[in-house]
Amino acid sequence: LKFTLKYKYSGLWASIKPLEWTLIIEAVILVFAVVARGRKIALTQEAAPVPVDIISRFVELYDEKMFHEKELSEFEESKLKKTLPKKEYKHRIKAAEERLIEINKALTELKNELKKAGSRYEELIKKIEKAEAEIEAAKASEAQINLQYRSGKISKEAYEAVINDVKKRIDKAKSIIESTLITLREEI
């Protein structure tokens, strides 16, 4: 008696056992992820209440800071155009700079308090600080370009092109600050 059996071994059936284990492990990981995320959401919902008084004071001081900075730049323009007497210019600049120093000290304290109030506020403050740094860097670039132009190192066309780029950087950073302040105002 002779018995022969022919069969084909399908690769699909060989992969079923490892596939089952893979699916079980993925299901366990998914459950842990959902539970962890649920806890994280619960923790953020239990966060400290919105510090309305701090936010309103911060926005108020920052608006005043922006006003004084604009005022200083207008004084500089008046000085260059010689429409403002020198003594008047010095007096106004001194008063505006002294007030800016006071405002910056108060803003530093308020920034720290807002950062402690939550990660959302910390992100908004970082956004403002980054934009401020961009403005300062652009102003330094502008001063450097003015020096190069006055000394004749660059042409008028190059000067105007670079100054326009610098002004665009400043405007973009200012718009970031303003949009962030609007976001903070909405919380008041």
Side-chain angles (χ1 to χ4, degrees), residues 64-77 100 139 174:
E64 188 177 350
K65 175 184 176 179
M66 289 172 45
F67 170 77
H68 285 297
E69 287 175 345
K70 185 176 181 183
E71 193 176 45
L72 282 173
S73 66
E74 288 172 358
F75 293 154
E76 288 295 324
E77 288 175 18
L100 272 174
K139 285 181 179 178
K174 284 182 179 180

Side-chain angles (χ1 to χ4, degrees), residues 66-136:
M66 289 172 45
F67 170 77
H68 285 297
E69 287 175 345
K70 185 176 181 183
E71 193 176 45
L72 282 173
S73 66
E74 288 172 358
F75 293 154
E76 288 295 324
E77 288 175 18
S78 296
K79 177 187 171 194
L80 292 174
K81 293 178 184 176
K82 297 183 181 184
T83 58
L84 190 64
K86 195 172 189 178
K87 192 172 187 178
E88 177 82 16
Y89 165 79
K90 285 183 179 181
H91 176 70
R92 288 184 179 183
I93 289 287
K94 184 179 178 186
E97 286 177 344
E98 286 174 357
R99 181 63 185 142
L100 272 174
I101 290 170
E102 293 171 15
I103 291 170
N104 284 330
K105 285 180 184 176
L107 280 174
T108 302
E109 293 171 11
L110 290 172
K111 283 179 186 179
N112 290 334
E113 288 181 37
L114 277 175
K115 285 179 183 178
K116 292 175 187 174
S119 62
R120 182 171 184 278
Y121 299 113
E122 185 175 5
E123 289 300 317
L124 291 172
I125 296 300
K126 284 181 183 178
K127 204 173 176 184
I128 289 174
E129 289 173 342
K130 184 179 176 186
E132 286 176 338
E134 179 66 26
I135 290 171
E136 292 303 315

Side-chain angles (χ1 to χ4, degrees), residues 8 32 41 56 139 188:
K8 259 186 164 176
F32 280 122
I41 291 171
S56 62
K139 285 181 179 178
I188 298 175

Side-chain angles (χ1 to χ4, degrees), residues 33 133 144:
Q144 185 66 31

